Structure formats: structure tokens, C-alpha cells
Amino acid sequence: DVKVTQSSRYLVKRTGEKVFLECVQDMDHENMFWYRQDPGLGLRLIYFSYDVKMKEKGDIPEGYSVSREKKERFSLILESASTNQTSMYLCASSLSGENTGELFFGEGSRLTVL
Amino acid sequence: AQSVTQLDSQVPVFEEAPVELRCNYSSSVSVYLFWYVQYPNQGLQLLLKYLSGSTLVKGINGFEAEFNKSQTSFHLRKPSVHISDTAEYFCAVTKGYQKVTFGTGTKLQVIP
């Protein structure tokens, strides 16, 4: 079975802390994505990566960075967490080409910044 | 730039009644279209997809969607809903090899 694993289901951090969210997929997918999900706003793309060491900004990259050193792992970094980054973070992966949009999602990481 | 509009944030419907969830997209080039479902406290899973060919696509759990290029729409339908269909539904678009953009979601509430 296809699997996308996010390292933490729930995190509570303080303002100004550095936060790492890890995501691992076991499907040899080229593409990996980070979204945040907020009520009424749907899923908004933060960053995506179509290959190792490659990254592209999504619609809301400000305050975030990413790292993809290995094909199976895509990390989201909040350099200095702020309260407006309290959200559900979803990682996803997909094959390339016409299959790009067929995303496999992890369970999500709910981050609370106090 | 591509975008997706789901005009209905909530759709209440009685059990066994038909339902249509609306999705419109904007893009200057050909796109691939998807519907995802998110059950309470769960992740998203793919319902169906349109890549090419027949404009009527069938998905899981009795759902289907019709791609209409002239109206840039990809509405989701089910002829008879069940309580278990209560969930949030997301429409998504991509041109392939690029980002995947989601709509704001539609909450389907099935009333017994």
C-alpha cells in the first residue's frame, strides 16, 4: 500500500521557535508537496518539489522554507514560528506528468503556535 | 495562473436525494482535473480524475463528474446520497509537471 508518513500528528510550539515538519513517502514519487489547511480557505500550497534538491514556491511561501535532500523525504521548516502559522499541515506526493495531480496525502500535522 | 472556484461552502441534502457540487476553474491551457474527499478527522483521498478522453468520468462510491471545457467546469454528482457521504469535497487542477491548486472545499451534509 502507498504510504506518506508525517513525523508528528500534533505539535505545540512557542512564538519564535524553529519548527521542522518531516514527510517521507515510500512510492518513489518524483513530486512532493506541502499544503496548509485552514477552515474556509481550503488547501493552500506552500512549496513543492519535482526532484531531489529542487523546490518551487507555491502560493504562500512566506515564513517557510523546505529541504529535499533525498527523493523520499521532504521537510518543511518554520524558521521562526508565529501564531498565524497555527494550522494543519498536509504533505503529499505524486508521480510526474499527467499523474501530477493524483496526490497521496499523509495524515497531517496539526501545529499550534502559542 | 490557474485557479479553482467552489462557490458552495456547504450543501445540505436529504438522504437518497441527488446532489451536485460545483467546481469552476480558470486556465489558459489544457488542464487535468480532480475531486478529493476528506472524511472527518481523516486525510484526503482521490475520488476521481479527468485527464483526457470521455468528458464523463466515474469515481469511487458512486460519484461521477463531467468536464465541460466551454464552461470551464467540472461538477461532481451523485444520484442518491448516503449518510456516509457526509464529508468535505475538494476540486483540484493542474497542468501537469507543475503545482496542484485546490478549491476552498464544499462541505456536504447528508440529512437523515
Side-chain angles (χ1 to χ4, degrees), chain A residues 17-21 63-65 76-82 85 89 111 113:
Chain A
E17 279 192 81
K18 191 168 187 176
V19 181
F20 292 88
L21 300 179
Y64 303 95
S65 61
L76 180 69
I77 303 149
L78 289 67
E79 292 289 340
S80 177
S82 63
Q85 292 179 309
Y89 290 89
L111 172 66
V113 183

Side-chain angles (χ1 to χ4, degrees), chain A residues 83-97:
Chain A
T83 54
N84 63 12
Q85 292 179 309
T86 291
S87 186
M88 171 68 86
Y89 290 89
L90 297 173
C91 176
S93 70
S94 69
L95 293 168
S96 60

